[in-house]
Amino acid sequence: MANVVVVGAQWGDEGKGKIVDWLSERADVIARFQGGHNAGHTLVIDGKVYKLSLLPSGIVRGGKLSVIGNGVVVDPWHLVMEIDKLRGQGVDITTENLMLAENASLILPIHGELDRAREGQTGVAKIGTTGRGIGPAYEDKVGRRAIRVADLADDETLVTRVDRLLGHHNALRRGFDMEPIDREALLAQLREIAP
């Protein structure tokens, strides 16, 4: 198969996952290049049901390479949970069939908190987000203050990047009358998920 890209033009819910799954039968590499774990899709293969929201749909098909690209914002806790769930269904997930871009930005718990605080406002500020922090994570990516997958491998870099991130987020949180972020707790969470 030549290279094929599936792009949704309706901000989701237009059936991209079904099309990608159908195409993945004949592909060698299936890559996600943007988005987060806000939506999801259900795959039924040989009568078995798989529910995915972050992993590329090719992961459930043997002999395929699935890639999560740097345009995706990745909640590392959700990623681990989704991998464990699929492994529990008998799906083989290894470094041989799943690659994660080291420069992909992370969705942190603080992103979800900010997302929900904004959505909790009254009036025209509501946009109908899932509250999972995808928008705020992209804001940090574009603002060049995001924590990236690679930052988890170097504690000194991680600390520096967290401090930079908190300078921005604590100012935002003050505007929402939210408590400042517990730096040490966030670092502990990131160090725990890093492996």
Side-chain angles (χ1 to χ4, degrees), residues 139-140 145 163-173:
E139 291 173 31
D140 285 341
R145 62 183 163 264
D163 287 343
R164 183 175 181 192
L165 183 72
L166 296 189
H168 176 79
H169 275 268
N170 281 330
L172 286 174
R173 291 169 76 95

Side-chain angles (χ1 to χ4, degrees), residues 32-34 67-74 100-105 138 141:
R32 283 203 61 188
F33 61 91
Q34 58 82 34
V67 178
I68 299 175
N70 72 326
V72 178
V73 285
V74 177
L100 173 60
E102 65 183 15
N103 56 346
S105 297
Y138 272 116
K141 177 183 175 75

Side-chain angles (χ1 to χ4, degrees), residues 21 31 39 58 73 83 86 91 105 114 116 128 135 139-140 142 144 146 153 168 178-179 186 192 195:
D21 178 51
V73 285
I83 289 171
L86 288 178
V91 177
S105 297
L114 179 59
R116 291 185 294 276
E139 291 173 31
D140 285 341
V142 172
R144 298 180 180 174
H168 176 79
M178 297 169 71
E179 292 292 319
L186 178 59
E192 183 181 351

Side-chain angles (χ1 to χ4, degrees), residues 30-49:
I30 299 90
R32 283 203 61 188
F33 61 91
Q34 58 82 34
H37 70 295
N38 55 324
H41 50 279
T42 301
L43 307 174
V44 180
I45 300 170
D46 298 328
K48 204 162 189 182
V49 177

Side-chain angles (χ1 to χ4, degrees), residues 19 25 41 163 193:
I19 292 167
E25 291 181 72
H41 50 279
D163 287 343
I193 197 68

Side-chain angles (χ1 to χ4, degrees), residues 30-88:
I30 299 90
R32 283 203 61 188
F33 61 91
Q34 58 82 34
H37 70 295
N38 55 324
H41 50 279
T42 301
L43 307 174
V44 180
I45 300 170
D46 298 328
K48 204 162 189 182
V49 177
Y50 304 97
K51 294 185 182 281
L52 306 175
S53 58
L54 183 57
L55 291 168
S57 60
I59 199 69
V60 298
R61 298 192 179 275
K64 312 286 181 180
L65 173 61
S66 291
V67 178
I68 299 175
N70 72 326
V72 178
V73 285
V74 177
D75 178 324
W77 298 274
H78 181 87
L79 177 62
V80 168
M81 181 198 70
E82 195 169 316
I83 289 171
D84 288 345
K85 181 179 173 189
L86 288 178
R87 282 180 173 156

